[in-house]
Amino acid sequence: MARRATTAKRKKAAPKKSTRKKTAPKRKSGGIGRLMLGGAFVAGTLSAIIAVGSMLELDRASDEFGRAADQGAPNYALAEPEPTPKLRKDYRLSENANVSERGRTGYLVGENNETTRSTGQGGQGLTDFVPAPAARKPAQAGDILPGDSGNDVPVATVGPTNQPWQKYAALTQDTGDKPVIAIVIDDAGLDQPRTAKTVDLPGPITISYLPYARDLQAQVNAARKAGHEVMLHMPMEPSSASVDPGPHALLASYDRQTILNEMTWMLDRFDGYVGVNNHMGSKFTADPERMKIVMEVMKSRGLMFLDSRTSADSVGYSTASSFGVPAITRDIFIDDADDAAKIADMLARTENVARKQGFAIAIGHPRDLTIGALKTWIPEIQAKGFVLVPITDVLRRSMRSVTG
C-alpha cells in the first residue's frame, strides 16, 4: 500500500539583526540646568547688541569729532541752538545800515573813513558817526588782537578803507613776483582738537569757522593771535535733501526776511572775520534771487565772499561782482577724498595752478591726513619759491588785475 508523501517542514528564518545601534536614553536635564542655559543665551545676546551699538557709536564719534584719544574734557558737541533774532520789518540794507548792536563784525561800514552805528534800543534811534580808529600800534607779545590786526594800507581798495575784509586781514609779507598760495580750512570749530592743530600749522592760512560751533570767539582769537586769517563758513542748502547742512542754514525755500534773520544770527556769532564762504550750498548758491539777498548783506557789512564752488551752477561769484562785493573763487579742493595719495596729488595741482596764474586758492578740512600733509608740504613749497598768504592777499591781487 502506497504511503502518502509528506512535505518537509520549513525551517523558520532567523530574525534579521538590526544594523541600528541603540542610543542611550536621553537624560532629562533638570530645571536648574535649563535656567542656566537660558540665562547664558540671553546674556550672550545682550553682549552682542551692546558691542554692535558701541562700535556704531565709536564710528559716529570718529566721523564727527575725531578719535577719543584726540578729545579732551570739553564737550565738543554742537552749540545749543539760540533764538533767531527777529529783525524789524523796516530793516534796511545799505552801506550805512542801521543796526542794533555795537562792535560786531560788519557794523563798521561807513563813508569817508567813518563808521555809522545806531544808538538806542532794538536798533531804533539816531545814528552817530564814530571816527575811524587811529593807526595801529605794533602788536605786543601776548596780545589777543581783538580788532585791527590786518594790513593798515591795503594794496587795492574799493569804497571805505576800514571795511572788515580789510580791517581784520592778516599781515602779509612783500611777496614780489613770487607765486602765492592761499590755504583755506573749512568746517573749523566743531572738532576743537583738530582745529587747534590747524592753528598750529605754519601760516598765514585762512580758517573758516562754522557758526554753530562752541567757544567760537576764544577759538577765533587763538587763530588770529597765531597770525592766521578768519572767515565765517556759512551753511547753505545742498542739492541732496538727505544731507544736513546744520542749524540756521540758508534754504532756497526761505523768503527774504527769513534769510536776513538767519544771516544775522550767523554773522553775529563772533568777531574778527574778513568774510564768508559757503558750507555746502550746491542748491542755494545756484539760486540767483536768493544769492542777491546774501550779497546785499555782504555789501552792507563790508565783507568779502569766497565762492567755494560746490556746484558748477553757482552764481555766487557773479552775483557778488554785480553788487560790488569783493569776491573770489576756489581753485582746488584738497581732500574731497580722505586719502593720503589723493591729497598729495591735489597739493601738487595747487602748485601748478599757482605757477600758471600767479596765485591759487585751495580748500581743505581739519582732518588728520590733511593736517599732516600740510605740515610737511608748507615748508616744501616755501623752499620752492612759493609764498603762503591769507585769502585777502589773493583777493587784492585779483582786484588789482581787474582795476589795472
Side-chain angles (χ1 to χ4, degrees), residues 23-39:
T23 57
K26 294 182 179 179
R27 293 183 179 177
K28 295 183 179 179
S29 58
I32 295 177
R34 285 196 296 271
L35 286 174
M36 292 177 65
L37 182 61

Side-chain angles (χ1 to χ4, degrees), residues 71 88 149 181 199 206 209 240 263 309 331 358 397:
Q71 297 186 15
R88 294 158 44 203
S149 64
I181 296 174
V199 172
T206 302
Y209 289 82
S240 174
M263 287 188 70
R309 295 284 293 177
D331 294 306
R397 290 167 184 269

Side-chain angles (χ1 to χ4, degrees), residues 30 40 45-46 76 145 153 194 196 208 259 277 295 317 326 402:
T45 303
L46 288 174
Y76 301 117
L145 305 179
V153 184
R194 285 188 174 88
S208 192
I259 292 174
N277 72 318
M295 294 310 158
Y317 177 77
V402 171

Side-chain angles (χ1 to χ4, degrees), residues 172-364:
T172 307
Q173 59 179 308
D174 182 10
T175 60
D177 295 330
K178 294 180 179 179
V180 300
I181 296 174
I183 298 296
V184 181
I185 300 298
D186 280 348
D187 296 354
L190 282 183
D191 184 342
Q192 292 192 27
R194 285 188 174 88
T195 299
K197 290 180 181 179
T198 301
V199 172
D200 288 339
L201 288 171
I205 62 175
T206 302
I207 306 176
S208 192
Y209 289 82
L210 287 164
Y212 45 80
R214 291 182 183 275
D215 307 319
L216 276 171
Q217 195 62 60
Q219 294 191 68
V220 167
N221 288 347
R224 297 184 63 231
K225 185 178 178 182
H228 302 306
E229 200 161 79
V230 171
M231 297 190 75
L232 188 148
H233 199 34
M234 184 170 287
M236 300 180 183
E237 184 177 7
S239 297
S240 174
S242 63
V243 178
D244 182 10
H248 297 278
L250 304 182
L251 306 182
S253 60
Y254 285 168
D255 61 16
R256 174 184 176 84
Q257 191 63 43
T258 304
I259 292 174
L260 293 177
N261 287 351
E262 297 293 13
M263 287 188 70
T264 298
W265 185 89
M266 291 187 279
L267 291 168
D268 288 351
R269 290 284 289 156
F270 61 94
D271 293 326
Y273 54 92
V274 297
V276 167
N277 72 318
N278 54 291
H279 171 59
M280 301 186 185
S282 53
K283 181 175 182 178
F284 191 91
T285 59
D287 188 321
E289 294 305 314
R290 299 302 183 275
M291 288 304 293
K292 286 179 182 177
I293 301 171
V294 171
M295 294 310 158
E296 287 180 45
V297 178
M298 295 294 100
K299 178 70 172 178
S300 73
R301 290 192 175 225
L303 299 170
M304 64 162 288
F305 181 74
L306 167 62
D307 192 341
S308 300
R309 295 284 293 177
T310 56
S311 168
D313 297 326
S314 173
V315 296
Y317 177 77
S318 60
T319 307
S321 299
S322 68
F323 275 82
V325 173
I328 200 162
T329 62
R330 177 268 314 164
D331 294 306
I332 301 290
F333 271 128
I334 299 173
D335 52 7
D336 262 354
D338 194 22
D339 176 89
K342 292 181 180 179
I343 290 172
D345 180 54
M346 292 299 104
L347 291 175
R349 293 190 187 188
T350 301
E351 295 178 38
N352 291 335
V353 171
R355 287 192 188 96
K356 290 178 181 178
Q357 67 180 19
F359 62 85
I361 299 172
I363 292 180

